[in-house]
Amino acid sequence: MNFDLAYMLEIIPELLVYIPITLYLAIVSMIIAVAIGVVLSLLLVNKTPVLLQLSKLYISFFRGTPVLVQLLMIYFGLPQLFPWLNSLSAVNAAIIAFSLNTSAYLAEIFRAALISVDKGQTEAAISTGLTYRQAVWGIVLPQAVRNAVPATGNMFIGLIKNSSLAFTIGVTELLAQGKLLATATLQFFEAYLAVGIIYWGMTIVYSWVQRWYEARINRPYEV
Amino acid sequence: MIRVSGLKKSFNNNEVLKDISFQVNEGETVAIIGPSGSGKSTLLRCLNYLERPDAGSIEVGEVSIDAEKPKKVLVNQLRMQTSMVFQHYNLFKNKTVLENITYPLTATKKYRRREADAVGQNLLEQVGILDKQEAYPISLSGGQQQRVGIARALAVDPHAILFDEPTSSLDPEWVGEVLNVISDIAQKDKTMLIVTHEMNFARDIADRVIFMADGYIVEEGKPEDIFDNPQHERTRRFLSKYGRQVSTENNKEEPALVMA
């Protein structure tokens, strides 16, 4: 066997430099996806006519097509239709694709989280004179968040790893740098293993953060 | 004062309320009794528009609404006139006992935090669970939760309080403490409308009793009259199931049931 451990350890610091761009892609996409997902889920729950059908179409499309296809459509396809989008950077195109794709999944997660908060609490809020909006913001959403956190965390972990797809449109992130090193030295296994370990490490650290947060927000519900 | 006239409500093709009219005077405690499915809870829920009635008019305090053309502003004002105690308590699970009471105050009535806390603590003391103010609802017994529900309903200082079967989902051991709290409030001349299956309680606490069946008000009157001398066959049949003594004078065809 021809495995060069020393080389692998040597390139890890060179790869760590690319963690910020990977996290940037994942975190910004996640924030936008959550915002879109919340709006979509409220449209789904309230069954607002017309907008409900549009939301369902949106979710169906972005869940039904590969994220890589969406990424290529946005980066290479859209500027063809709209020339002013030529200036769209690869990083921004990746963020748009990841946001739209993730938001479709989050919409379903949030919808389930919202309807799992019993209707009686909304009724109680309204009966004490709160408006529907106040009831949703103050009572329903905080509880829905708790219900949604585990599944949303899964989506985020997926997003950290999917951000590696951005290398296909020329974003130099973690995987792109690994590929660069691999082709330079032809030590593919070591380079890609190093990349994999770094992704793994990021998801482990994130899992700790999430576990701490879940424990915190679960406190009111423990006897 | 609550005044309802010609109230109708259907769910799909099922007519639940068929022309309901009645009145509750200032400071009066009225109990609504009747078999399950008679429309009692629906009636109560129409009064604060948790259910939207199809026809008729509702007047509570200074606000009156015509069900044919309810304005959104009026609906909100109508809801401000009452508060409700629910069968399943419906406490806000993400808030502490004290916050359950103060949240509506700070959010709608623009109380300052400290004023709201003072109101809340005072009410918790009245219902006897001030020591639980920092606890979350999940850690309370049913009886304790319902007492918080009552304190929350009192806090907004409504024109009238609506009780929707406040003891029906309680374990028997907690029923007494909740009924005691409600009796205390009734003695303070709050206007109250109570849907209940506790016949003894209705008899003791109510100034007037309304008997409903099949979407109609069958009869209403003083508790003694309804329980001891019901005028309608339907009322007698219902009360006999609850084992109340029913006067035999008007009830030749059915033997009276006497229990304890």
Side-chain angles (χ1 to χ4, degrees):
Chain A
M1 219 172 62
N2 177 19
F3 179 76
D4 190 346
L5 180 66
Y7 172 72
M8 192 186 89
L9 295 176
E10 191 187 304
I11 60 169
I12 281 184
E14 284 176 62
L15 292 170
L16 290 178
V17 182
Y18 289 87
I19 286 182
I21 176 69
T22 287
L23 285 182
Y24 174 76
L25 287 172
I27 292 172
V28 174
S29 302
M30 192 67 189
I31 291 170
I32 300 172
V34 166
I36 301 174
V38 166
V39 173
L40 288 173
S41 65
L42 288 172
L43 295 175
L44 291 177
V45 169
N46 289 332
K47 301 194 166 66
T48 324
V50 186
L51 291 175
L52 171 70
Q53 283 74 29
L54 288 175
S55 311
K56 283 185 171 169
L57 181 66
Y58 174 99
I59 292 166
S60 173
F61 177 78
F62 283 103
R63 287 206 305 181
T65 55
V67 63
L68 186 54
V69 171
Q70 294 161 16
L71 184 61
L72 296 173
M73 274 175 64
I74 288 168
Y75 187 59
F76 296 114
L78 283 186
Q80 177 196 333
L81 302 181
F82 309 103
W84 54 272
L85 281 174
N86 268 322
S87 57
L88 184 66
S89 71
V91 169
N92 286 341
I95 287 174
I96 293 172
F98 297 147
S99 307
L100 297 182
N101 181 266
T102 307
S103 69
Y105 289 90
L106 289 179
E108 289 292 343
I109 293 171
F110 295 165
R111 182 188 65 84
L114 285 170
I115 57 177
S116 69
V117 179
D118 65 299
K119 233 177 125 214
Q121 294 186 59
T122 310
E123 291 186 347
I126 287 173
S127 76
T128 53
L130 294 165
T131 61
Y132 180 70
R133 190 168 299 198
Q134 287 170 321
V136 169
W137 273 109
I139 307 297
V140 179
L141 276 182
Q143 294 178 64
V145 165
R146 168 178 173 259
N147 298 335
V149 162
T152 306
N154 262 344
M155 290 304 301
F156 183 64
I157 287 174
L159 192 50
I160 290 176
K161 292 173 297 167
N162 274 344
S163 71
S164 62
L165 290 174
F167 103 94
T168 58
I169 57 169
V171 178
T172 313
E173 41 67 73
L174 189 51
L175 176 59
Q177 180 61 18
K179 190 173 154 58
L180 223 61
L181 292 169
T183 43
T185 61
L186 298 181
Q187 289 179 299
F188 295 101
F189 192 82
E190 291 85 347
Y192 289 131
L193 182 60
V195 168
I197 288 172
I198 293 174
Y199 279 111
W200 192 8
M202 282 193 282
T203 59
I204 289 173
V205 171
Y206 170 73
S207 304
W208 287 339
V209 173
Q210 176 166 337
R211 209 173 309 149
W212 168 82
Y213 181 63
E214 280 182 29
R216 213 178 83 114
I217 58 174
N218 276 338
R219 235 178 287 152
Y221 308 89
E222 276 154 13
V223 184
Chain B
M1 168 145 106
I2 300 173
R3 189 182 291 147
V4 171
S5 61
L7 203 68
K8 289 179 184 167
K9 171 70 184 171
S10 301
F11 292 106
N12 300 320
N13 288 323
N14 181 19
E15 203 177 10
V16 179
L17 299 178
K18 308 163 182 167
D19 195 13
I20 299 280
S21 302
F22 69 97
Q23 186 173 323
V24 180
N25 297 319
E26 199 82 49
E28 201 177 19
T29 299
V30 173
I32 304 178
I33 60 170
S36 298
S38 58
K40 310 180 298 287
S41 287
T42 304
L43 170 58
L44 216 58
R45 290 164 60 84
C46 282
L47 293 182
N48 60 5
Y49 260 73
L50 287 182
E51 304 293 349
R52 199 187 156 139
D54 304 321
S57 71
I58 298 170
E59 183 186 331
V60 184
E62 302 96 60
V63 182
S64 66
I65 274 195
D66 181 354
E68 307 274 352
K69 39 181 193 298
K71 291 202 194 84
K72 215 178 163 189
V73 189
L74 277 179
V75 169
N76 282 335
Q77 284 174 3
L78 184 80
R79 285 176 175 154
M80 297 281 210
Q81 301 297 308
T82 57
S83 59
M84 193 173 234
V85 175
F86 296 86
Q87 181 180 350
H88 299 289
Y89 334 127
N90 295 357
L91 297 186
F92 308 136
K93 294 196 180 81
N94 60 327
K95 305 224 174 265
T96 64
V97 163
L98 184 61
E99 286 166 351
N100 260 272
I101 299 167
T102 56
Y103 180 65
L105 296 180
T106 50
T108 65
K109 299 211 157 189
K110 305 293 168 219
Y111 275 62
R112 285 208 207 89
R113 183 67 198 267
R114 202 182 297 168
E115 297 168 332
D117 282 354
V119 171
Q121 283 160 343
N122 183 16
L123 285 166
L124 286 175
E125 177 133 48
Q126 279 183 44
V127 298
I129 37 173
L130 185 55
D131 56 320
K132 295 279 184 193
Q133 58 172 315
E134 298 297 333
Y136 283 93
I138 195 139
S139 65
L140 303 184
S141 73
Q144 289 170 328
Q145 290 196 47
Q146 192 58 298
R147 284 188 278 154
V148 176
I150 293 169
R152 178 176 66 184
L154 282 169
V156 290
D157 193 25
H159 187 84
I161 304 181
L162 313 171
F163 292 82
D164 188 8
E165 304 195 22
T167 59
S168 294
S169 54
L170 289 173
D171 287 340
E173 56 178 320
W174 308 124
V175 170
E177 65 182 47
V178 169
L179 294 183
N180 285 340
V181 168
I182 300 174
S183 304
D184 286 349
I185 303 165
Q187 272 154 26
K188 287 177 186 149
D189 285 337
K190 267 276 172 206
T191 308
M192 310 205 305
L193 196 51
I194 306 176
V195 169
T196 185
H197 290 291
E198 298 283 334
M199 296 304 144
N200 288 318
F201 172 67
R203 185 187 185 120
D204 293 343
I205 191 187
D207 300 310
R208 208 144 44 82
V209 173
I210 292 175
F211 172 69
M212 271 182 82
D214 311 316
Y216 293 104
I217 291 180
V218 177
E219 64 179 301
E220 58 179 299
K222 290 195 180 329
E224 310 85 86
D225 297 339
I226 297 289
F227 287 111
D228 299 339
N229 192 19
Q231 300 300 306
H232 289 262
E233 159 61 21
R234 187 75 187 83
T235 319
R236 284 195 290 275
R237 232 185 321 144
F238 171 74
L239 290 173
S240 71
K241 283 200 184 117
Y242 273 86
R244 297 290 311 192
Q245 184 168 5
V246 179
S247 164
T248 41
E249 281 176 340
N250 305 311
N251 195 13
K252 299 268 184 329
E253 66 277 24
E254 259 181 80
L257 256 176
V258 184
M259 273 176 82

